[in-house]
């Protein structure tokens, strides 16, 4: 079974051929205030050891879509079910074109057809109340259940993605760059969204197929718009993908599973989008064997506590700051940093300091003229170390020790959790999207 954040176990170490699904969903502050339920939904299904299906849906918050919470639950259920046939045959395909054609030509109609039938079955089992009938007016029953849908079928070689409506699907590449393969939809202008409840839903799906043999990925993230609307950076994919690449490489799966609800909660808070926020993080087979905590790292519980505290803090920094750190571009941020270059840098600082001290002593003894100071080169992660030859050997030795301490200190600090969170809030930005299905989605 695929694992979610509320699961008690994760796949055992060494499960190298299995995709791993971590999921989290959080009620938005706006809905919490009004007493509305979470209208997002998420589901994941492992149909074979090397094939995983995951779906995320966002029910519309407008009054016309008064059963959209049910609509999103039905959407993820029928999408996973309808995707099983294609998922079971992924290994038979040799090129992406036929997969995309089948996804749009067969899978999408299967999803929309099953969703419409599921809605009608739900209405038959639980008819609209008098109040709901008044709210519905002349709308088709489908309008009340309106929802977006994001679906991923992840196999050993092929990654199949289909989407209708807003939300984000982002691949995470090994170098930290984001991969955004699903075509954009120009009709999603922040005020409107396409939807399963639309009469032309089949035509409004977008699809993409990624060949992992030529475009390797560390993972894939599916998220409702409550996540993207909470990010400080705009566009935010570069910074978030870089953070996630580092975390996937450096952190155990258990740590990531513990963090996901915290990231969703931060985004759903009044300091974020205040909207329901749902995330599905799929980790590729190449890294699901897992990296276990190394001795110099805090235990998982300790790290999670620190992360929770940071994520719970209200955002007081001005725009352009991410949890107190400058919001930098992908080119400015190193990704998947290793301790080895830092150790080499530390050793280099010590060697340079020693050589500088030796030369200073020789110059002092041979010419009687002592230079005032000599600055050692600064490594990428080391502080500047100044070596003074004024006090000859004793001072030089002290400076060398200081350089060593500075380098080791910087190394240890950089090796810690520089990016505890991949989720950064930008202040209240409730998604006031209107007119899905010629209706509205405010805050949904």
């Amino acid at each position: 079974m695929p694992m979610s954040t509320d699961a008690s176990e994760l796949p055992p170490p060494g499960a190298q051929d299995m995709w791993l699904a971590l999921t989290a969903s959080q009620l938005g502050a706006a809905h919490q205030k009004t007493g509305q339920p979470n209208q997002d939904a998420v589901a994941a299904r492992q149909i074979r050891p090397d094939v995983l299906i995951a779906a995320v849906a966002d029910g519309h918050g407008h009054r016309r879509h008064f059963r959209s919470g049910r609509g999103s639950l039905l959407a993820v259920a029928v999408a996973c079910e309808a995707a099983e046939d294609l998922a079971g045959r992924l290994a038979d395909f040799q090129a992406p074109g036929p997969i995309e054609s089948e996804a749009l030509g067969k899978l999408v109609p299967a999803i929309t057809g099953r969703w419409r039938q599921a809605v009608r079955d739900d209405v038959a089992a639980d008819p609209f109340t008098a109040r709901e009938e008044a709210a519905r007016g002349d709308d088709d029953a489908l309008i009340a259940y309106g929802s977006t849908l994001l679906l991923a079928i992840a196999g050993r070689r092929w990654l199949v993605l289909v989407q209708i409506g807003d939300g984000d699907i982002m691949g995470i590449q090994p170098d930290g760059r984001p991969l955004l393969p699903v075509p954009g939809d120009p009709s999603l202008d922040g005020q409107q969204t396409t939807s399963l409840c639309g009469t032309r839903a089949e035509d409004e799906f977008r699809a993409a197929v990624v060949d992992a043999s030529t475009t390797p990925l560390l993972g894939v993230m599916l998220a409702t718009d409550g996540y993207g609307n909470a990010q400080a950076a705009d566009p935010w994919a570069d910074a978030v993908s870089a953070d996630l690449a580092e975390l996937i490489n450096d952190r155990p799966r258990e740590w990531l599973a513990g963090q996901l609800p915290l990231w969703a909660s931060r985004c759903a808070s009044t300091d974020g989008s205040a909207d329901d926020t749902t995330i599905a993080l799929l980790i590729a087979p190449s890294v699901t064997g897992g990296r276990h905590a190394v001795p110099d790292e805090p235990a998982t519980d300790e790290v999670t506590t620190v992360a929770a505290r940071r994520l719970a803090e209200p955002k007081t920094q001005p725009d352009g700051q991410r949890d107190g750190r400058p919001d930098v571009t992908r080119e400015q941020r190193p990704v998947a940093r290793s301790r080895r270059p830092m150790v080499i840098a530390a050793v280099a600082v010590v060697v340079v300091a020693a050589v500088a001290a030796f030369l200073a002593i020789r110059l002092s003894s041979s010419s009687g003229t002592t230079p005032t100071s000599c600055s050692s080169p600064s490594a990428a992660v080391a502080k500047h170390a100044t070596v003074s030859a004024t006090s000859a050997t004793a001072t030089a030795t002290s400076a060398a020790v200081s350089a060593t301490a500075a380098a080791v200190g910087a190394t240890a600090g950089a090796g810690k959790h520089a990016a505890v969170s991949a989720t950064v809030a930008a202040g209240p930005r409730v998604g006031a999207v209107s007119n899905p299905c010629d209706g509205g989605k405010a805050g949904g």
Side-chain angles (χ1 to χ4, degrees):
M1 292 293 293
M3 297 296 111
S4 66
T5 50
D6 56 359
S8 59
E9 296 182 0
L10 289 169
Q16 305 282 355
D17 295 332
M18 294 182 64
W19 277 88
L20 171 65
L22 304 177
T23 68
S25 188
Q26 179 66 38
L27 175 69
H31 283 172
Q32 190 172 19
K33 183 177 180 179
T34 59
Q36 291 178 283
N38 187 343
Q39 293 166 343
D40 286 358
V42 60
R45 185 176 300 182
Q46 192 95 40
I47 66 164
R48 288 172 45 176
D50 59 344
V51 182
L52 175 72
I53 302 171
V56 166
D58 182 357
H60 312 323
H62 190 271
R63 62 182 178 276
R64 293 180 65 194
H65 310 287
F66 49 83
R67 285 192 178 184
S68 67
R70 297 193 194 188
S72 65
L73 287 169
L74 294 174
V76 297
V78 301
C80 288
E81 181 181 295
E84 283 194 16
D85 177 61
L86 178 57
R89 297 182 289 107
L90 270 187
D92 298 336
F93 291 90
Q94 302 301 316
I99 302 176
E100 183 173 335
S101 295
E102 182 156 338
L104 290 173
K106 294 183 179 179
L107 174 58
V108 164
I111 291 173
T112 55
R114 294 185 188 202
W115 183 80
R116 289 166 182 157
Q117 185 59 51
V119 167
R120 301 195 188 284
D121 290 344
D122 191 71
V123 173
D126 184 13
F128 291 127
T129 65
R131 183 176 180 178
E132 288 176 328
E133 286 287 2
R136 183 162 78 96
D138 295 330
D139 284 346
D140 186 280
L142 298 176
I143 301 296
Y145 289 74
S147 175
T148 67
L149 177 65
L150 295 80
L151 174 69
I153 306 172
R156 186 183 298 272
R157 177 182 177 184
W158 303 110
L159 173 67
V160 186
L161 307 169
V162 296
Q163 177 176 357
I164 184 171
D166 52 25
D168 297 281
I169 300 179
M170 179 182 71
I172 304 155
Q173 300 186 80
D175 62 0
R177 289 180 302 154
L179 179 68
L180 307 172
V182 178
D185 184 343
S187 69
L188 306 181
D189 58 1
Q191 299 300 317
Q192 300 183 76
T193 182
T194 50
S195 171
L196 284 168
C197 68
T199 56
R200 298 178 55 252
E202 289 90 347
D203 299 328
E204 293 171 329
F205 269 87
R206 298 108 68 200
V209 178
V210 179
D211 185 348
S213 68
T214 57
T215 307
L217 296 172
L218 294 177
V220 182
M221 185 180 76
L222 288 70
T224 57
D225 65 340
Y227 181 89
N229 288 341
Q231 303 306 311
D234 186 17
W236 53 265
D238 285 351
V240 170
S241 181
D243 283 347
L244 287 174
E246 185 171 347
L247 293 173
I248 289 172
N249 276 318
D250 288 351
R251 297 285 161 219
R253 296 159 298 169
E254 294 82 358
W255 186 89
L256 290 168
Q259 294 303 299
L260 217 62
L262 302 178
W263 300 341
S265 179
R266 175 64 170 169
C267 288
S269 72
T270 54
D271 293 317
S273 65
D275 192 6
D276 300 338
T277 300
T278 298
I279 308 167
L281 179 61
L282 313 184
I283 302 177
S286 59
V287 289
T288 53
R291 169 192 171 283
H292 297 285
V294 293
D296 63 337
E297 292 179 343
T300 299
D301 291 344
E302 178 185 347
V303 176
T304 301
T305 301
V306 173
R309 185 164 60 249
R310 287 187 56 182
L311 287 165
E313 293 173 354
K315 180 181 184 296
T316 57
Q317 295 87 359
D319 288 343
Q321 297 285 320
R322 306 176 68 245
D323 282 353
R325 294 179 290 143
D327 204 28
V328 298
T329 63
R330 172 67 188 86
E331 289 73 15
Q332 293 170 306
R333 185 203 306 270
V335 178
R337 291 182 288 269
S338 167
R339 290 185 176 83
R340 183 176 298 175
M342 299 174 187
V343 173
I344 294 172
V347 173
V349 170
V350 175
V351 172
V352 171
V355 171
F358 174 78
L359 292 175
I361 295 168
R362 290 293 300 273
L363 288 172
S364 175
S365 61
S366 61
S367 64
T369 303
T370 304
T372 56
S373 67
C374 174
S375 296
S376 65
S378 174
V381 294
K383 297 179 180 179
H384 289 282
T386 301
V387 179
S388 174
T390 305
S391 301
T393 304
T395 305
T397 302
S398 175
V401 172
S402 298
T404 303
V408 172
T411 300
K416 297 283 184 180
H417 321 296
V420 174
S421 171
T423 301
V424 183
R429 287 179 57 189
V430 178
V433 183
S434 65
N435 294 327
C437 313
D438 301 318
K441 189 201 169 185

